[in-house]
Structures are given as C-alpha cells and as structure tokens.
Amino acid sequence: MKTLSFLAALPLITLAACSPPAGPGSTDAASAVVVADALCRPTPPGRQVTGCYLTLTAPTADTLVSVASPAAALVQVHEMRMESNMMMMRELEAGLPLPAGEAVSLAPGGNHIMLMGVTEPLKTGDTVALTLTFATAAPVEVSATVRTPPAA
Ligand SMILES: [Cu+2]
C-alpha cells in the first residue's frame, strides 16, 4: 500500500518540478518586461497604417519577438535603415534584442511597432491594446494611448 501511494504521487512531483516559475497571470515582477510610455500615432486620413512607440526594459536579456493588436490586421516590429540614401523601414525578422536591465526605446525615426490594416481610424484619446510576446519572459499586454508623438 505504501509503495502504491508513493508511485501515485510521483507524476505530480515531476510536473511541479517542470512547470515554469511564471505562468500567465503570474505576478512574478522580477521576470516581467517593463513597458512604459506606450503610444500610437493617430492614423492619417484615409490610411490604415500607423506607428506605435514605447520603452521596454527586460530584467534579463530577452527578445521582443512579436506584437499583436485587435486594432489591426497585421502588426510588425520595424527598424529604420538607410538604403541607397533613403530611409527605409523593414521588419525585424529576428525580433528586437533587449539587453538585460537596459531601457530600449521604440521612437519616431527609429524602431517602431507598425500597425497595418487598422480596422477603425485611430484618433487622439483612443486606446489601442497591444500584446507583446518575448522569447523568454511572459507576454505583456499594454494599453497604448493614441496621440501625436513629439517630433523626432
Ligand atoms: Cu514601419
């Protein structure tokens, strides 16, 4: 009888040992990426594309892998780079590296989050829900305010 109950308990112990310390909804602040100053630019008249900006601080080295929003059909993380003397933007396909403890700013003129196929025009005062997914840390949901960012 003793042997049986020991065996029955074993899978539970194994599961507990394997489960990650921070699941969804966890309040493990030590491992969470801190997101500050999230804002999205109002959509230009007749256009369904706009940029969002924020500052990310990861406690341990991580990567911003992707962003999703119910406000847009497609969301990408873009970088700005010079190509043939022209500023072009393109998707950061490998994600955005976040060095440990360092604030990484996505700002006008630099890296940004691109909303494409925006379903409803975004105007100043609206909010946009953004879900940020990281390589290691738990996903973070933020509410970005719609307003015109200060000039770059
Ligand atoms: Cu872009």
Side-chain angles (χ1 to χ4, degrees), residues 93-151:
E93 282 173 26
L96 176 68
L98 304 172
E102 208 176 289
V104 174
S105 288
L106 286 78
N111 297 334
H112 57 276
I113 293 165
M114 198 90 205
L115 303 187
M116 286 167 281
V118 176
T119 45
E120 300 262 340
L122 300 177
K123 35 186 211 315
T124 300
D126 289 351
T127 54
V128 177
L130 299 174
T131 303
L132 314 182
T133 304
F134 304 96
T136 307
V140 175
E141 283 187 38
V142 292
S143 178
T145 307
V146 177
R147 63 185 173 88
T148 305

Side-chain angles (χ1 to χ4, degrees), residues 1-85:
M1 203 55 186
K2 270 212 154 86
T3 310
L4 271 178
S5 59
F6 171 75
L7 284 176
L10 200 57
L12 281 175
I13 295 165
T14 313
L15 272 176
C18 291
S19 58
S26 158
T27 50
D28 188 356
S31 65
V33 176
V34 177
V35 183
D37 305 326
L39 76 91
C40 293
R41 200 188 279 277
T43 41
R47 298 209 56 200
Q48 295 169 305
V49 177
T50 196
C52 298
Y53 312 100
L54 42 73
T55 300
L56 299 168
T57 309
T60 53
D62 213 322
T63 302
L64 172 64
V65 175
S66 63
V67 182
S69 174
L74 181 65
V75 185
Q76 291 181 343
V77 182
H78 280 182
E79 64 171 344
M80 302 292 284
R81 59 157 66 192
M82 289 296 277
E83 271 171 33
S84 313
N85 279 331

